[in-house]
Amino acid sequence: MQKQIFLIDKLKEDRTLTKHEWVQLITERTPEAAEYLFALAREERHIHYGHDVYIRGLIEFTNYCKNDCLYCGIRKSNSHANRYRLSEEDILDCCRTGYGLGFRTFVLQGGEDAFYTDERIVRLISSIKDRYPDCALTLSIGEKSRESYRQYFEAGADRYLLRHETSNSIHYSRLHPPSLTAKARKECLWNLKEIGYQVGTGFMVGSPYQTAEHLAEDMLFIRELNPHMVGIGPFIVHRDTPFAGQTSGTLELTLFMLGLLRLMLPKALLPATTALGTIDPNGRELGILSGANVVMPNLSPTGVRKDYSLYDNKICTGDEAAECRSCLERRMEAIGYRIVTARGDSLN
Ligand code: SAH
């Protein structure tokens, strides 16, 4: 326990630890150390962001994907997935609804879908930014060339979410097909940063074969990248993937990692993710109380929600956008936080 407190204090002081120290802190964590960590994490969060919670309107616009990530329910080989893509008009409808509900950030997320050529993505970005110049637009559409990223940025995209998934290249290769590598994924993140995007990275907690060493390497990579946002959530089994028989990640370790991230990057944006809300009914509230400061409710049309199935039992697949918005508002108020209507740019 003393050792744990010492390491948590050292993290707060230095904003980083050695790999060995990260491993120690993670493997020897105790509930008491976690409580201590969360109190410090909340303190940091309140200094920079007060009790505000930023909201992002998530629009899952296509579940077609050319990739075959072993954990993901919309992987190419999943023939049970009911494929859909939203038209530009559908997407603009989602934005209109979202804007009316107070969203000032839209996140376009999807599989790597060849139908959405650079030309189509650029047109989509321009249409959204023309109509909603006061909103931030985030893309989360996977690995693209530097030139494509540049075109999207020039068209008006402000932010890009691309989780590195795991920093360790051997672990990465056990979660992905041989066509995908940790090196290429990281290269994309450096390109995005250099172009000028506000960048979000992140990883799954408890993914198959993950060790404390891997998590330590994730922390070191994130420290080096110094992103604006870090999205983490538990790995959750999807029945129609090669990982159907694996075990999902835990609430407990995800919360602990959130607390560590808040101490390492005090000014970063940290979402309490839908996956966290899926493994525990109070997951998102507990995420906020561990240092998170963002929630990302769904703006996708209800008709397609259940088809954007990355993992089993995803929450909120039946709710209208307005219901999600008011449900989260109540949940945040119940724990002393408030949802704000703002772009919510990162201070990091
Ligand atoms: N195609 C985009 C978006 C991927 S989906 C891209 O490549 O970035 C967004 C995130 O969901 C992924 O980065 C992954 O970390 C997470 N995810 C996918 N399958 C998951 C699962 N089974 N459990 C938990 N999270 C998952």
Side-chain angles (χ1 to χ4, degrees):
M1 181 65 186
Q2 279 318 309
K3 180 74 185 169
Q4 294 290 298
I5 302 294
F6 169 81
L7 288 174
I8 292 167
D9 285 340
K10 180 162 189 269
L11 170 60
K12 182 182 154 140
E13 183 70 20
D14 300 349
R15 302 297 179 200
T16 192
L17 293 174
T18 65
K19 183 170 173 189
H20 177 71
E21 289 169 335
W22 280 120
V23 171
Q24 258 193 325
L25 187 48
I26 293 165
T27 46
E28 291 163 31
R29 67 188 186 280
T30 59
E32 297 73 35
E35 280 316 311
Y36 182 73
L37 169 67
F38 299 152
L40 292 188
R42 282 194 297 271
E43 216 173 273
E44 291 292 341
R45 176 243 209 266
H46 296 151
I47 292 172
H48 303 293
Y49 292 103
H51 286 69
D52 291 354
V53 176
Y54 296 134
I55 47 172
R56 310 328 195 175
L58 187 61
I59 305 170
E60 299 154 336
F61 72 104
T62 172
N63 72 351
Y64 283 88
C65 192
K66 68 171 193 202
N67 291 331
D68 226 5
C69 307
L70 277 73
Y71 46 82
C72 184
I74 64 167
R75 65 199 302 267
K76 178 179 64 181
S77 302
N78 181 9
S79 55
H80 296 301
N82 188 18
R83 305 287 170 176
Y84 73 89
R85 59 172 69 92
L86 301 182
S87 65
E88 182 169 325
E89 206 185 316
D90 295 333
I91 297 170
L92 290 169
D93 272 347
C94 295
C95 295
R96 186 177 325 120
T97 306
Y99 194 86
L101 291 170
F103 288 91
R104 294 297 176 268
T105 292
F106 301 119
V107 182
L108 292 180
Q109 188 179 82
E112 292 195 18
D113 178 0
F115 171 84
Y116 277 102
T117 55
D118 284 352
E119 206 184 318
R120 287 195 167 112
I121 294 287
V122 162
R123 214 188 48 209
L124 188 56
I125 296 167
S126 311
S127 309
I128 295 174
K129 291 296 279 198
D130 273 355
R131 287 173 180 71
Y132 306 102
D134 55 331
C135 292
L137 184 56
T138 306
L139 299 178
S140 179
I141 54 176
E143 296 180 31
K144 306 277 176 182
S145 70
R146 194 194 164 83
E147 176 51 27
S148 300
Y149 286 151
R150 203 188 48 74
Q151 282 182 42
Y152 308 156
F153 188 73
E154 280 171 8
D158 304 276
R159 308 183 184 140
Y160 207 102
L161 302 182
L162 187 84
R163 292 184 175 180
H164 67 279
E165 312 295 1
T166 176
S167 180
N168 181 283
S169 55
I170 296 167
H171 185 220
Y172 194 96
S173 71
R174 301 189 75 180
L175 304 181
H176 298 95
S179 55
L180 301 173
T181 63
K183 184 164 178 274
R185 193 90 178 163
K186 289 177 182 171
E187 200 66 45
C188 286
L189 284 162
W190 290 114
N191 284 338
L192 289 162
K193 245 199 130 173
E194 207 174 288
I195 291 166
Y197 283 95
Q198 295 173 41
V199 171
T201 191
F203 56 91
M204 288 178 290
V205 178
S207 58
Y209 320 114
Q210 185 180 64
T211 63
E213 275 79 12
H214 296 146
L215 289 170
E217 289 174 38
D218 288 327
M219 296 306 277
L220 293 171
F221 171 70
I222 293 169
R223 177 71 268 187
E224 188 192 343
L225 180 69
N226 194 21
H228 301 83
M229 173 156 166
V230 185
I232 66 166
F235 157 72
I236 302 176
V237 167
H238 187 291
R239 72 184 92 84
D240 298 319
T241 63
F243 289 162
Q246 298 277 351
T247 337
S248 297
T250 64
L251 173 75
E252 181 270 324
L253 182 54
T254 309
L255 297 178
F256 194 76
M257 296 310 298
L258 269 175
L260 296 180
L261 283 164
R262 174 59 68 204
L263 281 199
M264 182 171 81
L265 298 177
K267 296 182 184 175
L269 296 168
L270 297 180
T273 56
T274 306
L276 197 54
T278 298
I279 48 161
D280 188 287
N282 286 318
R284 286 170 300 177
E285 289 89 329
L286 293 169
I288 296 292
L289 292 169
S290 307
N293 65 334
V294 176
V295 286
M296 300 174 69
N298 207 311
L299 284 182
S300 312
T302 39
V304 302
R305 292 241 191 134
K306 62 176 184 337
D307 294 326
Y308 197 79
S309 168
L310 307 178
Y311 45 80
D312 289 340
N313 306 318
K314 191 174 153 205
I315 52 169
C316 310
T317 53
D319 301 347
E320 295 288 346
E323 295 171 55
C324 284
R325 169 76 165 82
S326 53
C327 163
L328 274 169
E329 181 134 6
R330 277 196 308 277
R331 284 169 176 267
M332 294 301 117
E333 272 171 14
I335 55 167
Y337 289 81
R338 64 175 170 270
I339 284 180
V340 294
T341 295
R343 269 176 59 117
D345 287 296
S346 179
L347 302 173
N348 195 43

mmCIF file of all heavy atoms in Angstrom, residues 182-208:
data_model
loop_
_atom_site.group_PDB
_atom_site.id
_atom_site.type_symbol
_atom_site.label_atom_id
_atom_site.label_comp_id
_atom_site.label_asym_id
_atom_site.label_seq_id
_atom_site.Cartn_x
_atom_site.Cartn_y
_atom_site.Cartn_z
ATOM 1 N N ALA A 182 1.152 -2.325 -35.770
ATOM 2 C CA ALA A 182 1.225 -1.251 -34.778
ATOM 3 C C ALA A 182 2.005 -0.066 -35.347
ATOM 4 O O ALA A 182 1.685 1.097 -35.098
ATOM 5 C CB ALA A 182 1.882 -1.763 -33.499
ATOM 6 N N LYS A 183 3.026 -0.385 -36.121
ATOM 7 C CA LYS A 183 3.880 0.667 -36.672
ATOM 8 C C LYS A 183 3.081 1.584 -37.593
ATOM 9 O O LYS A 183 3.160 2.820 -37.486
ATOM 10 C CB LYS A 183 5.034 0.013 -37.441
ATOM 11 C CG LYS A 183 6.052 0.967 -37.993
ATOM 12 C CD LYS A 183 7.342 0.222 -38.378
ATOM 13 C CE LYS A 183 8.351 1.173 -38.973
ATOM 14 N NZ LYS A 183 8.138 1.343 -40.435
ATOM 15 N N ALA A 184 2.284 0.993 -38.481
ATOM 16 C CA ALA A 184 1.489 1.795 -39.416
ATOM 17 C C ALA A 184 0.444 2.623 -38.660
ATOM 18 O O ALA A 184 0.180 3.781 -38.998
ATOM 19 C CB ALA A 184 0.811 0.884 -40.436
ATOM 20 N N ARG A 185 -0.138 2.014 -37.647
ATOM 21 C CA ARG A 185 -1.162 2.708 -36.861
ATOM 22 C C ARG A 185 -0.557 3.955 -36.191
ATOM 23 O O ARG A 185 -1.121 5.042 -36.221
ATOM 24 C CB ARG A 185 -1.699 1.736 -35.799
ATOM 25 C CG ARG A 185 -2.970 2.168 -35.098
ATOM 26 C CD ARG A 185 -4.185 1.677 -35.818
ATOM 27 N NE ARG A 185 -5.424 2.038 -35.143
ATOM 28 C CZ ARG A 185 -6.615 2.009 -35.722
ATOM 29 N NH1 ARG A 185 -6.733 1.625 -36.986
ATOM 30 N NH2 ARG A 185 -7.700 2.364 -35.070
ATOM 31 N N LYS A 186 0.624 3.773 -35.599
ATOM 32 C CA LYS A 186 1.283 4.896 -34.924
ATOM 33 C C LYS A 186 1.696 5.973 -35.922
ATOM 34 O O LYS A 186 1.597 7.172 -35.641
ATOM 35 C CB LYS A 186 2.500 4.397 -34.151
ATOM 36 C CG LYS A 186 2.135 3.572 -32.931
ATOM 37 C CD LYS A 186 3.385 3.036 -32.254
ATOM 38 C CE LYS A 186 3.026 2.170 -31.062
ATOM 39 N NZ LYS A 186 4.200 1.467 -30.514
ATOM 40 N N GLU A 187 2.146 5.517 -37.078
ATOM 41 C CA GLU A 187 2.531 6.453 -38.144
ATOM 42 C C GLU A 187 1.349 7.383 -38.465
ATOM 43 O O GLU A 187 1.522 8.601 -38.619
ATOM 44 C CB GLU A 187 2.886 5.622 -39.389
ATOM 45 C CG GLU A 187 3.740 6.305 -40.427
ATOM 46 C CD GLU A 187 5.141 6.611 -39.921
ATOM 47 O OE1 GLU A 187 5.744 5.711 -39.291
ATOM 48 O OE2 GLU A 187 5.604 7.733 -40.158
ATOM 49 N N CYS A 188 0.170 6.806 -38.569
ATOM 50 C CA CYS A 188 -1.038 7.599 -38.834
ATOM 51 C C CYS A 188 -1.228 8.660 -37.757
ATOM 52 O O CYS A 188 -1.545 9.815 -38.061
ATOM 53 C CB CYS A 188 -2.277 6.704 -38.857
ATOM 54 S SG CYS A 188 -2.416 5.677 -40.328
ATOM 55 N N LEU A 189 -1.034 8.269 -36.505
ATOM 56 C CA LEU A 189 -1.238 9.220 -35.406
ATOM 57 C C LEU A 189 -0.254 10.383 -35.472
ATOM 58 O O LEU A 189 -0.627 11.541 -35.273
ATOM 59 C CB LEU A 189 -1.119 8.491 -34.062
ATOM 60 C CG LEU A 189 -2.353 7.649 -33.702
ATOM 61 C CD1 LEU A 189 -2.034 6.619 -32.622
ATOM 62 C CD2 LEU A 189 -3.504 8.561 -33.249
ATOM 63 N N TRP A 190 1.002 10.064 -35.800
ATOM 64 C CA TRP A 190 1.994 11.154 -35.915
ATOM 65 C C TRP A 190 1.649 12.055 -37.090
ATOM 66 O O TRP A 190 1.762 13.290 -36.989
ATOM 67 C CB TRP A 190 3.410 10.577 -36.063
ATOM 68 C CG TRP A 190 3.910 9.915 -34.798
ATOM 69 C CD1 TRP A 190 4.175 8.593 -34.634
ATOM 70 C CD2 TRP A 190 4.184 10.543 -33.530
ATOM 71 N NE1 TRP A 190 4.598 8.347 -33.346
ATOM 72 C CE2 TRP A 190 4.621 9.518 -32.649
ATOM 73 C CE3 TRP A 190 4.109 11.855 -33.055
ATOM 74 C CZ2 TRP A 190 4.983 9.769 -31.318
ATOM 75 C CZ3 TRP A 190 4.466 12.102 -31.727
ATOM 76 C CH2 TRP A 190 4.898 11.074 -30.885
ATOM 77 N N ASN A 191 1.185 11.456 -38.194
ATOM 78 C CA ASN A 191 0.780 12.278 -39.344
ATOM 79 C C ASN A 191 -0.369 13.215 -38.981
ATOM 80 O O ASN A 191 -0.361 14.400 -39.311
ATOM 81 C CB ASN A 191 0.343 11.388 -40.516
ATOM 82 C CG ASN A 191 1.527 10.757 -41.226
ATOM 83 O OD1 ASN A 191 2.655 11.257 -41.147
ATOM 84 N ND2 ASN A 191 1.296 9.652 -41.920
ATOM 85 N N LEU A 192 -1.359 12.668 -38.305
ATOM 86 C CA LEU A 192 -2.532 13.468 -37.917
ATOM 87 C C LEU A 192 -2.120 14.654 -37.050
ATOM 88 O O LEU A 192 -2.602 15.776 -37.231
ATOM 89 C CB LEU A 192 -3.536 12.589 -37.159
ATOM 90 C CG LEU A 192 -4.283 11.552 -38.018
ATOM 91 C CD1 LEU A 192 -4.905 10.469 -37.140
ATOM 92 C CD2 LEU A 192 -5.356 12.228 -38.872
ATOM 93 N N LYS A 193 -1.217 14.380 -36.124
ATOM 94 C CA LYS A 193 -0.768 15.443 -35.228
ATOM 95 C C LYS A 193 -0.037 16.533 -35.994
ATOM 96 O O LYS A 193 -0.267 17.728 -35.796
ATOM 97 C CB LYS A 193 0.162 14.852 -34.166
ATOM 98 C CG LYS A 193 -0.429 14.953 -32.777
ATOM 99 C CD LYS A 193 0.610 14.820 -31.708
ATOM 100 C CE LYS A 193 0.445 15.965 -30.732
ATOM 101 N NZ LYS A 193 1.341 15.795 -29.562
ATOM 102 N N GLU A 194 0.838 16.083 -36.881
ATOM 103 C CA GLU A 194 1.644 17.027 -37.645
ATOM 104 C C GLU A 194 0.780 17.902 -38.546
ATOM 105 O O GLU A 194 1.048 19.100 -38.715
ATOM 106 C CB GLU A 194 2.639 16.235 -38.487
ATOM 107 C CG GLU A 194 3.901 16.974 -38.818
ATOM 108 C CD GLU A 194 4.846 16.026 -39.529
ATOM 109 O OE1 GLU A 194 5.382 15.134 -38.842
ATOM 110 O OE2 GLU A 194 5.015 16.157 -40.759
ATOM 111 N N ILE A 195 -0.286 17.327 -39.107
ATOM 112 C CA ILE A 195 -1.183 18.095 -39.971
ATOM 113 C C ILE A 195 -1.922 19.171 -39.178
ATOM 114 O O ILE A 195 -2.270 20.224 -39.718
ATOM 115 C CB ILE A 195 -2.175 17.141 -40.690
ATOM 116 C CG1 ILE A 195 -1.418 16.279 -41.707
ATOM 117 C CG2 ILE A 195 -3.297 17.912 -41.378
ATOM 118 C CD1 ILE A 195 -2.197 15.092 -42.236
ATOM 119 N N GLY A 196 -2.126 18.932 -37.891
ATOM 120 C CA GLY A 196 -2.751 19.966 -37.067
ATOM 121 C C GLY A 196 -4.071 19.557 -36.427
ATOM 122 O O GLY A 196 -4.748 20.383 -35.807
ATOM 123 N N TYR A 197 -4.447 18.313 -36.587
ATOM 124 C CA TYR A 197 -5.666 17.828 -35.930
ATOM 125 C C TYR A 197 -5.495 17.831 -34.417
ATOM 126 O O TYR A 197 -4.382 17.633 -33.913
ATOM 127 C CB TYR A 197 -5.926 16.365 -36.311
ATOM 128 C CG TYR A 197 -6.499 16.119 -37.679
ATOM 129 C CD1 TYR A 197 -5.679 15.819 -38.765
ATOM 130 C CD2 TYR A 197 -7.882 16.108 -37.887
ATOM 131 C CE1 TYR A 197 -6.201 15.533 -40.014
ATOM 132 C CE2 TYR A 197 -8.417 15.822 -39.133
ATOM 133 C CZ TYR A 197 -7.575 15.539 -40.189
ATOM 134 O OH TYR A 197 -8.091 15.249 -41.420
ATOM 135 N N GLN A 198 -6.617 17.972 -33.696
ATOM 136 C CA GLN A 198 -6.668 17.573 -32.299
ATOM 137 C C GLN A 198 -6.872 16.054 -32.349
ATOM 138 O O GLN A 198 -7.830 15.577 -32.941
ATOM 139 C CB GLN A 198 -7.844 18.228 -31.584
ATOM 140 C CG GLN A 198 -7.725 19.757 -31.503
ATOM 141 C CD GLN A 198 -8.988 20.395 -30.948
ATOM 142 O OE1 GLN A 198 -9.596 19.897 -30.015
ATOM 143 N NE2 GLN A 198 -9.390 21.510 -31.541
ATOM 144 N N VAL A 199 -5.942 15.340 -31.754
ATOM 145 C CA VAL A 199 -5.890 13.899 -31.958
ATOM 146 C C VAL A 199 -6.289 13.127 -30.699
ATOM 147 O O VAL A 199 -5.895 13.473 -29.588
ATOM 148 C CB VAL A 199 -4.453 13.487 -32.379
ATOM 149 C CG1 VAL A 199 -4.300 11.974 -32.383
ATOM 150 C CG2 VAL A 199 -4.137 14.054 -33.754
ATOM 151 N N GLY A 200 -7.065 12.089 -30.926
ATOM 152 C CA GLY A 200 -7.409 11.176 -29.835
ATOM 153 C C GLY A 200 -6.875 9.793 -30.129
ATOM 154 O O GLY A 200 -7.017 9.291 -31.239
ATOM 155 N N THR A 201 -6.222 9.195 -29.122
ATOM 156 C CA THR A 201 -5.817 7.803 -29.291
ATOM 157 C C THR A 201 -6.433 6.994 -28.153
ATOM 158 O O THR A 201 -7.345 7.479 -27.479
ATOM 159 C CB THR A 201 -4.279 7.653 -29.362
ATOM 160 O OG1 THR A 201 -3.969 6.330 -29.786
ATOM 161 C CG2 THR A 201 -3.615 7.920 -28.018
ATOM 162 N N GLY A 202 -5.959 5.774 -27.944
ATOM 163 C CA GLY A 202 -6.522 4.980 -26.853
ATOM 164 C C GLY A 202 -6.357 3.497 -27.086
ATOM 165 O O GLY A 202 -5.754 3.077 -28.074
ATOM 166 N N PHE A 203 -6.890 2.724 -26.156
ATOM 167 C CA PHE A 203 -6.721 1.269 -26.216
ATOM 168 C C PHE A 203 -7.865 0.583 -25.491
ATOM 169 O O PHE A 203 -8.611 1.220 -24.748
ATOM 170 C CB PHE A 203 -5.375 0.870 -25.598
ATOM 171 C CG PHE A 203 -5.172 1.356 -24.182
ATOM 172 C CD1 PHE A 203 -5.554 0.574 -23.100
ATOM 173 C CD2 PHE A 203 -4.614 2.615 -23.926
ATOM 174 C CE1 PHE A 203 -5.380 1.019 -21.801
ATOM 175 C CE2 PHE A 203 -4.437 3.068 -22.618
ATOM 176 C CZ PHE A 203 -4.820 2.270 -21.554
ATOM 177 N N MET A 204 -7.988 -0.707 -25.753
ATOM 178 C CA MET A 204 -8.973 -1.504 -25.036
ATOM 179 C C MET A 204 -8.307 -2.075 -23.787
ATOM 180 O O MET A 204 -7.148 -2.478 -23.829
ATOM 181 C CB MET A 204 -9.470 -2.647 -25.912
ATOM 182 C CG MET A 204 -10.385 -2.175 -27.030
ATOM 183 S SD MET A 204 -10.907 -3.522 -28.081
ATOM 184 C CE MET A 204 -9.374 -3.915 -28.899
ATOM 185 N N VAL A 205 -9.044 -2.117 -22.708
ATOM 186 C CA VAL A 205 -8.525 -2.684 -21.461
ATOM 187 C C VAL A 205 -9.010 -4.127 -21.351
ATOM 188 O O VAL A 205 -10.203 -4.396 -21.506
ATOM 189 C CB VAL A 205 -9.021 -1.863 -20.250
ATOM 190 C CG1 VAL A 205 -8.530 -2.490 -18.944
ATOM 191 C CG2 VAL A 205 -8.566 -0.413 -20.372
ATOM 192 N N GLY A 206 -8.072 -5.024 -21.123
ATOM 193 C CA GLY A 206 -8.450 -6.435 -20.986
ATOM 194 C C GLY A 206 -8.644 -7.131 -22.312
ATOM 195 O O GLY A 206 -9.361 -8.127 -22.391
ATOM 196 N N SER A 207 -8.004 -6.633 -23.356
ATOM 197 C CA SER A 207 -8.100 -7.337 -24.641
ATOM 198 C C SER A 207 -7.347 -8.665 -24.506
ATOM 199 O O SER A 207 -6.462 -8.802 -23.657
ATOM 200 C CB SER A 207 -7.525 -6.476 -25.771
ATOM 201 O OG SER A 207 -6.175 -6.148 -25.499
ATOM 202 N N PRO A 208 -7.693 -9.656 -25.322
ATOM 203 C CA PRO A 208 -7.042 -10.962 -25.209
ATOM 204 C C PRO A 208 -5.512 -10.844 -25.240
ATOM 205 O O PRO A 208 -4.974 -10.047 -26.013
ATOM 206 C CB PRO A 208 -7.571 -11.704 -26.435
ATOM 207 C CG PRO A 208 -8.916 -11.110 -26.659
ATOM 208 C CD PRO A 208 -8.764 -9.653 -26.326
#
